[in-house]
Amino acid sequence: MHVGHLLQLDSLDLTLLWGEESLLGREMSGVTTTDLEDPARFLQEGEVVLSGLVWWNPGDARAKTDRFVSALRTSGATALLAGEETHGTVPDELIDSCRAHRVPLLAVPARTSFRAITEAVYLRQWGDLSRLPAPHYALPENVRAELSRLLDRGADPGELLDRALAPLGGPPCYLLTSSGRTVARTLSAPALPADRAALNMRGAAGTTLRIQTESGPRGPYGSSGPYPPYGSHSPYDAWHLHLPGTAEVPSRVLHEIAEVLAQTRHDHDRRRATERQTADELVAAVGAGAAGVAGIGPDAKAVEGALRACGLWAEGPYRVLVSTLGGTEGQTGAVDALTEALNHVAPATFVVGTGRAEEGEAVAIVQEQEQEDTWHQLGKIWPLLADCRPKATPLHAGVSAPAAAAGLGAALGQARYALAAARTTSPGAARVTTVEDLSTLESLLAGVPADVRAAYCARTLGPLLRADSASHAILLDTLEVFLAHNCSWARTAEALHLHVNTVHYRIERVEVLTGRDLSRLDHKLDLRAALLCR
């Protein structure tokens, strides 16, 4: 884009005060705004300079004006765009100075904002670059240089997003995970609930690019090629650059911004891999107590040291969470899913490591918070994780009661029990179960291992389970209805459309076959539990 192109934009309504045709045909590299008396050290060659002339006052010596314009000339600025709002007009001595130093001068009326000029320049410039062959970068050199500096000092994704999109006026833009969590957003982007964000991405509401997380080609901020293959090893916490439908940013600009964020994600994953090593050590130390090794609990000093290495409190209290996708292949996915879920809802410190490999188990140790709805929020977030892999094995989780550091082994056992209950009560759908949820006999029995439930059921109900006996099946059905109606003969007879004497006869047969007396509360509970264990 040339300086002369700015004069052709009716929306800007700029006026040429001085400038030769050859100078107006120079290529612009970018835009900068300044009101410093001597801006030389902040300018780069080829830039258009916007100034509100706050640095100038009537009566100032001509030398002050010459010093400002000379700095522009020395830095290689292509033109000065001077605002009329501060003084009502552009001073004549500034026009004379620009003519003397051969710097084109354009007047900016008060009704035209500097932001409108900046957006016009970069939209035109990026549109031109997007039509060039692939080796040309769409981001201006000064923007790429600053992004590289920000990467070198470890800037967070939000700062990178804001700087990369600032030349376009900072349009709404989000960095989202696959489950809809907002990692970063520009200042103009309103908060976006996770469920809405996930819906927007999957419903193609706007533009979405997936950010690379594996090692791969690098672009202007790495070693080779401007376009990386976008992908991720995790379906749960992959990063996505998302612009709402109303935002307009050239496609190649988005790809280059995505590459910057890919490098940030690469550094994030490297740090996370290191953190998981210490988390695995903590889970192993806690797991020794949960397994009841040699009939003793976990090594208190080992647990305390592992907690300290993970940056957790020595005393607690904590919650332990266990999640599984089943099998060793699902263990990495379970760790990623549990980490992502806690990033949604847990404002405090937590660590996630690997548990029993044969179960594909992930274990999290979370500092307990005063917010009582944390685990309720986890239950609401869980379906969003399941939607990331709708055809995968259902994702389940169990949550322990609060525990001190010394009780982490027992808490791990609680979480595993709650997990087993979640899988039993909801085998085909994702579910989170806390120990506090186990408040009924049915929910409590759900956590008992399947083979134990089957053995108890067979031993207690005995002959009533014979598949080849129709009469026994009728007795079993009568028993279930009888217990469901609080052992009321009349209500049972009504429900089964039988005479009360028939109900009496059938229940007597049940008592004979099972050896239980249904007038006793403990025997009623035995049979009710056996029915629930079927």
Side-chain angles (χ1 to χ4, degrees):
M1 185 177 187
H2 302 155
V3 177
H5 290 151
L6 293 174
L7 293 168
Q8 299 172 10
L9 299 176
D10 294 337
S11 60
L12 299 182
D13 197 21
L14 304 180
T15 302
L16 178 64
L17 299 181
W18 184 87
E20 297 177 351
E21 186 173 349
S22 60
L23 296 176
L24 296 178
R26 293 175 60 193
E27 189 77 26
M28 294 184 297
S29 65
V31 182
T32 191
T33 302
T34 183
D35 265 306
L36 297 174
E37 292 184 25
D38 184 3
R41 61 195 180 102
F42 298 102
L43 304 179
Q44 298 189 38
E45 187 172 357
E47 287 185 325
V48 170
V49 177
L50 301 176
S51 177
L53 305 184
V54 176
W55 54 270
W56 182 85
N57 289 294
D60 284 346
R62 170 67 182 269
K64 185 176 183 180
T65 304
D66 285 339
R67 184 164 60 251
F68 180 85
V69 178
S70 176
L72 271 57
R73 174 68 176 177
T74 302
S75 302
T78 55
L80 170 62
L81 275 64
E84 296 180 334
E85 183 174 8
T86 303
H87 302 289
T89 186
V90 177
D92 290 339
E93 64 184 70
L94 182 60
I95 301 175
D96 294 339
S97 185
C98 285
R99 182 183 294 110
H101 290 280
R102 298 181 57 76
V103 175
L105 175 63
L106 285 69
V108 181
R111 60 183 172 276
T112 300
S113 68
F114 283 3
R115 173 176 175 174
I117 297 172
T118 300
E119 290 181 357
V121 170
Y122 281 113
L123 280 173
R124 172 66 180 269
Q125 184 182 47
W126 287 348
D128 291 344
L129 286 170
S130 295
R131 290 187 287 272
L132 292 175
H136 294 271
Y137 299 126
L139 284 170
E141 182 178 354
N142 65 317
V143 176
R144 288 189 287 118
E146 184 169 356
L147 290 176
S148 293
R149 289 194 295 271
L150 291 173
L151 281 171
D152 288 342
R153 69 173 178 81
D156 62 69
E159 187 175 0
L160 292 168
L161 265 187
D162 277 326
R163 182 61 192 95
L165 292 169
L168 281 177
C173 185
Y174 300 87
L175 183 60
L176 305 170
T177 63
S178 300
S179 63
R181 178 172 60 89
T182 298
V183 178
R185 56 188 167 108
T186 54
L187 294 174
S188 61
L192 192 60
D195 55 350
R196 172 58 60 182
L199 183 63
N200 286 354
M201 287 190 290
R202 293 178 188 131
T207 303
T208 303
L209 285 178
R210 192 170 179 173
I211 307 298
Q212 169 189 344
T213 58
E214 302 100 351
S215 6
R218 291 286 184 253
Y221 316 96
S223 58
S224 66
Y227 298 111
Y230 297 105
S232 171
H233 62 267
S234 171
Y236 301 105
D237 66 346
W239 284 2
H240 301 261
L241 186 62
H242 176 72
L243 283 91
T246 56
E248 294 184 8
V249 176
S251 175
R252 285 182 59 184
V253 172
L254 288 182
H255 279 81
E256 289 190 19
I257 295 173
E259 187 180 358
V260 174
L261 296 171
Q263 293 195 51
T264 299
R265 178 58 193 261
H266 176 75
D267 295 339
H268 166 83
D269 286 345
R270 187 170 52 190
R271 291 192 301 270
R272 188 169 63 176
T274 302
E275 292 168 357
R276 281 189 179 171
Q277 292 179 5
T278 56
D280 285 347
E281 292 173 3
L282 173 58
V283 172
V286 171
V293 176
I296 61 174
D299 185 324
K301 289 187 177 180
V303 171
E304 182 180 348
L307 285 170
R308 199 163 42 244
C310 291
L312 298 174
W313 303 327
E315 64 277 2
Y318 297 100
R319 293 258 189 172
V320 177
L321 285 75
V322 179
S323 180
T324 180
L325 279 170
T328 56
E329 292 183 0
Q331 190 163 38
T332 298
V335 170
D336 289 335
L338 191 52
T339 302
E340 174 65 7
L342 289 172
N343 275 322
H344 273 279
V345 302
T349 305
F350 65 88
V351 296
V352 181
T354 53
R356 297 184 296 204
E358 66 276 11
E359 299 288 339
E361 187 182 75
V363 177
I365 297 174
V366 186
Q367 288 179 183
E368 174 70 340
Q369 298 299 298
E370 293 182 0
Q371 296 91 334
E372 295 182 356
D373 64 340
T374 296
W375 311 113
H376 173 68
Q377 293 174 18
L378 184 66
K380 294 174 62 177
I381 290 296
W382 209 250
L384 296 178
L385 298 171
D387 288 344
C388 294
R389 290 185 64 193
K391 296 183 180 179
T393 304
L395 187 64
H396 297 101
V399 185
S400 77
L408 283 174
L412 177 56
Q414 291 178 9
R416 284 172 173 162
Y417 193 93
L419 170 63
R423 287 189 296 204
T424 299
T425 57
S426 184
R431 184 181 178 89
V432 178
T433 298
T434 68
V435 168
E436 289 89 343
D437 293 331
L438 306 180
S439 57
T440 65
L441 178 61
E442 183 176 10
S443 62
L444 183 64
L445 292 172
V448 175
D451 54 347
V452 176
R453 291 200 310 273
Y456 175 78
C457 181
R459 178 69 182 85
T460 305
L461 296 178
L464 294 180
L465 294 176
R466 282 179 49 186
D468 60 345
S469 175
S471 62
H472 287 178
I474 292 174
L475 292 177
L476 193 62
D477 182 57
T478 303
L479 171 63
E480 192 161 16
V481 174
F482 184 65
L483 292 174
H485 287 81
N486 299 317
C487 300
S488 168
W489 305 101
R491 288 202 299 271
T492 302
E494 183 180 356
L496 294 174
H497 305 290
L498 297 174
H499 192 279
V500 172
N501 290 342
T502 303
V503 176
H504 276 279
Y505 169 76
R506 290 184 181 181
I507 294 302
E508 288 173 0
R509 289 289 297 153
V510 167
E511 291 176 326
V512 170
L513 292 172
T514 61
R516 295 307 202 271
D517 180 357
L518 280 168
S519 65
R520 292 178 52 176
L521 176 60
D522 55 341
H523 285 194
K524 292 176 186 177
L525 290 174
D526 290 344
L527 291 172
R528 174 61 178 159
L531 290 171
L532 292 172
C533 286
R534 281 188 303 168

